Amino acid sequence: EPEVTQTPSHQVTQMGQEVILRCVPISNHLYFYWYRQILGQKVEFLVSFYNNEISEKSEIFDDQFSVERPDGSNFTLKIRSTKLEDSAMYFCASRWTAEKLFFGSGTQLSVL
Amino acid sequence: EDQVTQSPEALRLQEGESSSLNCSYTVSGLRGLFWYRQDPGKGPEFLFTLYSAGEEKEKERLKATLTKKESFLHITAPKPEDSATYLCAVQAGWGQAGTALIFGKGTTLSVSS
């Protein structure tokens, strides 16, 4: 079965550094998302992306965050200057229909 | 404010002991209610989508139902491999915006043999 692939699985960075989290969505999907889950808390929506532009974003997704689809297969989340509170599991997701949203296995980001 | 509340937070069952998980929601314009399974260190795995009150869906030992205010995930004769965190999420709003899912905190199910 096709799956959403995320790399790396773990990322450790120093506070203030830039990080890029990478995702390869399922190939025929058109809608792409980033969610995050802080340890012990709810899965939270960050941003949705369709037709090469952001369609919706949450209050969490401030100017420090950006997304890009640099080619036909990759979808990236960049955090410009990481903070301690950015430590979380980041999930990429994609869908073709409204019925099913498929999630990747996540990137565990640790900011020291 | 759109909100999803799941109960109980944790549930321990013996193998074969059926039970139900609850998801209550408050949203303006429900587009869909979703159930996901999440194993430790993994992403949510899609189980069901429900769209309107009275709708039911089944998959193996799981059955999801929906009313105007809540959804239930019924687990019949669970096995140890059903142990996981079960997440409920709603999609609210209309148009191209409003496709984001709002998640509850989940119910962590442990099934012992």
Side-chain angles (χ1 to χ4, degrees):
Chain A
E1 188 174 349
E3 58 182 26
V4 176
T5 305
Q6 290 187 244
T7 56
S9 56
H10 293 84
Q11 174 93 46
V12 180
T13 190
Q14 295 291 325
M15 189 169 54
Q17 294 292 107
E18 174 184 288
V19 295
I20 297 176
L21 308 183
R22 303 181 190 278
C23 170
V24 178
I26 296 173
S27 61
N28 64 338
H29 286 187
L30 300 177
Y31 300 85
F32 313 111
Y33 301 79
W34 285 100
Y35 285 79
R36 79 174 187 188
Q37 187 174 30
I38 296 171
L39 188 63
Q41 297 189 24
K42 297 181 181 184
V43 176
E44 299 175 291
F45 167 74
L46 294 179
V47 65
S48 60
F49 192 86
Y50 170 72
N51 200 27
N52 283 319
E53 62 182 19
I54 291 173
S55 52
E56 190 180 8
K57 59 183 181 179
S58 71
E59 292 178 354
I60 303 168
F61 194 87
D62 61 22
D63 292 345
Q64 293 300 312
F65 291 86
S66 62
V67 289
E68 192 177 35
R69 188 154 163 82
D71 52 42
S73 59
N74 293 284
F75 181 51
T76 62
L77 174 69
K78 182 194 291 187
I79 308 175
R80 263 180 270 282
S81 177
T82 50
K83 305 171 189 170
L84 296 175
E85 54 264 38
D86 293 329
S87 295
M89 179 76 95
Y90 287 80
F91 294 110
C92 175
S94 70
R95 66 177 178 92
W96 166 250
T97 69
E99 183 172 4
K100 288 185 181 181
L101 184 62
F102 293 86
F103 286 82
S105 288
T107 294
Q108 180 63 56
L109 177 64
S110 298
V111 182
L112 306 179
Chain B
E1 182 184 344
D2 298 334
Q3 223 168 13
V4 178
T5 304
Q6 292 188 247
S7 62
E9 288 186 12
L11 182 63
R12 301 178 74 89
L13 299 174
Q14 292 289 321
E15 185 172 3
E17 180 186 2
S18 302
S19 189
S20 297
L21 281 53
N22 177 262
C23 170
S24 62
Y25 62 91
T26 307
V27 293
S28 51
L30 180 71
R31 294 178 70 178
L33 185 139
F34 299 75
W35 282 98
Y36 282 86
R37 170 190 171 127
Q38 187 176 29
D39 293 302
K42 300 293 185 183
E45 177 188 342
F46 173 82
L47 293 174
F48 304 108
T49 307
L50 302 167
Y51 293 103
S52 56
E55 189 174 358
E56 299 182 352
K57 287 194 177 172
E58 286 188 68
K59 179 181 179 180
E60 297 179 359
R61 295 177 292 282
L62 301 177
K63 178 180 175 181
T65 62
L66 180 65
T67 72
K68 287 187 177 180
K69 292 185 178 181
E70 58 191 350
S71 177
F72 292 93
L73 185 65
H74 307 279
I75 303 176
T76 303
K79 298 181 178 182
E81 53 262 41
D82 295 322
S83 298
T85 296
Y86 290 86
L87 303 175
C88 173
V90 297
Q91 189 177 56
W94 301 99
Q96 192 54 43
T99 64
L101 296 185
I102 302 164
F103 280 86
K105 287 195 75 172
T107 294
T108 300
L109 174 67
S110 300
V111 183
S112 54
S113 56

